[in-house]
Amino acid sequence: MKKRSKKLSQPWSVQVELVEGCSRICDFCGINAIRSKPGDFKFMDWETAGRLVQGCSFLCPTARYEFAMHGEPLMHPNRLRMFSLFRKGLPKAQLQVTTNGVRFIRGDMQRLVERIFRHGIDFIILDTYYPERDVLRKKAFKLKNVQVLDFYDDCVPKNISPYHNHRRKLNRTIILMDDLKARDGEHLSRVVLNHAGSSPVKGIPKQPLEKTCTLPFRELSVCYNGNVNICCMDWKHEFVAGNINDSGVKSIWYGERFELARTFLQNKNREFDPCRRCSKNSGPRAGLLPKYGPITPSQRVDIEA
């Protein structure tokens, strides 16, 4: 039997923050830590996006790329051009957009959706919330030549997850996600988290959880300004592993700063920011992660630097 490699693999998924800032402020969302009202958008520029695409084309060309993270991606003034840039540079990658759908409310949803698909997006996760929820769902089910799946009614029974890599086999599809706050906990992937202490409605653990976290081993989270945070929960950029405008994507992913965090997390130690405040569970297949040695005294100093 071939021995399983203990080396860190390439990212399985990449979170791309085209926009920081949202057209909504949901009371459970981590955006409350960085915004007090909707708007005040900050956008990823063309040069940063180009460096990200180039670096990922070598590091993880077949990963799952999700445009979301800490903002509403469809608010980017050049969103379609950005989608085309990623599709051209990453022809085999799954590209998906997660949106609250506010831009679809007044516009021609059929035309807007068609343009998104035409510029390289495989599928759209339509994260609906009250009060727009009912209007958006009605408009979505009227779309022509688009597969519309309700997450709870269609995806869960068929084990179709929008958070898996479908290798571009799922396309021209909209997945309707119901209001997260209203249906909190009905499915393991739909749970209101405390976003490493950034959510105002979810408490902070009295003591850091003694659990491994799989996110920094499997997901690359790139902010609008090029920062690569430890994970998508790091709304306040408290643990930045590097910036793609200063270093290559591959060198950041395998770099000392990221590996330092992984050493702590693999040892079930979250005694550093922002992880000390996070309530997220370990994640799937934690036992298959590469093995790191015990934490050294010098690493305890470095993690706080």
Side-chain angles (χ1 to χ4, degrees):
M1 180 181 294
K2 185 177 180 181
K3 188 176 181 180
R4 182 174 60 85
S5 174
K6 299 295 184 181
K7 293 183 179 180
L8 178 71
S9 66
Q10 63 189 31
W12 291 7
S13 63
V14 181
Q15 290 281 341
V16 183
E17 184 184 86
L18 287 185
V19 178
E20 185 195 85
C22 193
S23 49
R24 293 179 53 99
I25 297 289
C26 299
D27 61 5
F28 59 84
C29 183
I31 200 170
N32 289 276
I34 59 174
R35 295 288 191 280
S36 59
K37 60 183 180 180
D40 188 20
F41 301 111
K42 296 179 180 179
F43 306 118
M44 181 176 286
D45 61 38
W46 186 254
E47 291 74 20
T48 300
R51 292 188 183 98
L52 176 57
V53 171
Q54 184 178 33
C56 287
S57 68
F58 292 101
L59 178 63
C60 48
T62 60
R64 175 184 74 93
Y65 290 77
E66 182 176 7
F67 298 98
M69 217 155 82
H70 303 151
E72 170 51 53
L74 297 189
M75 298 307 296
H76 198 292
N78 296 312
R79 56 194 175 277
L80 297 179
R81 189 174 175 226
M82 287 289 192
F83 297 156
S84 294
L85 173 66
F86 277 80
R87 175 50 67 216
K88 182 177 180 180
L90 300 162
K92 296 182 179 181
Q94 174 176 302
L95 303 185
Q96 60 190 80
V97 171
T98 296
T99 174
N100 60 33
V102 169
R103 292 194 70 96
F104 297 150
I105 291 290
R106 296 181 180 178
D108 183 340
M109 188 173 182
Q110 183 78 49
R111 182 181 66 85
L112 294 171
V113 166
E114 290 289 352
R115 294 182 73 187
I116 291 171
F117 288 146
R118 191 165 61 248
H119 283 78
I121 297 299
D122 293 306
F123 66 91
I124 299 168
I125 300 177
L126 184 50
D127 227 346
T128 63
Y129 300 95
Y130 292 101
E132 305 95 348
R133 181 255 191 203
D134 293 340
V135 173
L136 284 169
R137 292 177 72 86
K138 288 179 181 178
K139 295 186 75 169
F141 282 118
K142 290 180 181 179
L143 294 172
K144 299 178 180 179
N145 301 317
V146 176
Q147 178 178 223
V148 179
L149 301 175
D150 179 274
F151 176 73
Y152 294 95
D153 294 339
D154 302 317
C155 295
V156 172
K158 297 178 182 179
N159 196 29
I160 299 174
S161 172
Y163 310 113
H164 289 171
N165 192 340
H166 298 280
R167 304 288 181 178
R168 304 207 65 194
K169 294 178 181 178
L170 186 65
N171 53 66
R172 289 188 61 82
T173 297
I174 291 179
I175 297 180
L176 291 174
M177 310 298 283
D178 209 345
D179 191 298
L180 176 58
K181 184 177 180 181
R183 305 189 70 167
D184 180 18
E186 286 189 31
H187 190 269
L188 288 176
S189 65
R190 298 292 288 171
V191 178
V192 175
L193 301 172
N194 81 342
H195 297 285
S198 292
S199 171
V201 301
K202 288 288 182 175
I204 297 172
K206 293 182 179 180
Q207 298 292 333
L209 299 183
E210 294 181 4
K211 293 184 177 181
T212 300
C213 179
T214 61
L215 279 179
F217 295 83
R218 295 172 176 160
E219 186 171 276
L220 184 71
S221 300
V222 185
C223 301
Y224 78 96
N225 60 0
N227 277 352
V228 176
N229 291 356
I230 187 171
C231 75
C232 58
M233 302 290 176
D234 189 5
W235 288 77
K236 294 183 285 188
H237 301 238
E238 294 182 89
F239 194 103
V240 179
N243 188 292
I244 63 173
N245 291 308
D246 302 323
S247 305
V249 174
K250 183 177 181 179
S251 65
I252 294 174
W253 178 251
Y254 292 108
E256 291 183 5
R257 186 71 174 156
F258 234 148
E259 287 287 81
L260 178 62
R262 294 184 187 112
T263 299
F264 272 71
L265 294 173
Q266 215 276 333
N267 280 275
K268 299 182 179 182
N269 186 316
R270 299 191 185 188
E271 295 180 354
F272 63 98
D273 293 329
C275 301
R276 71 173 80 247
R277 299 188 303 275
C278 192
S279 63
K280 187 182 184 303
N281 286 323
S282 295
R285 299 181 178 88
L288 298 180
L289 297 178
K291 304 302 180 184
Y292 289 75
I295 300 168
T296 67
S298 63
Q299 286 174 325
R300 293 186 182 277
V301 174
D302 293 340
I303 198 72
E304 299 293 348

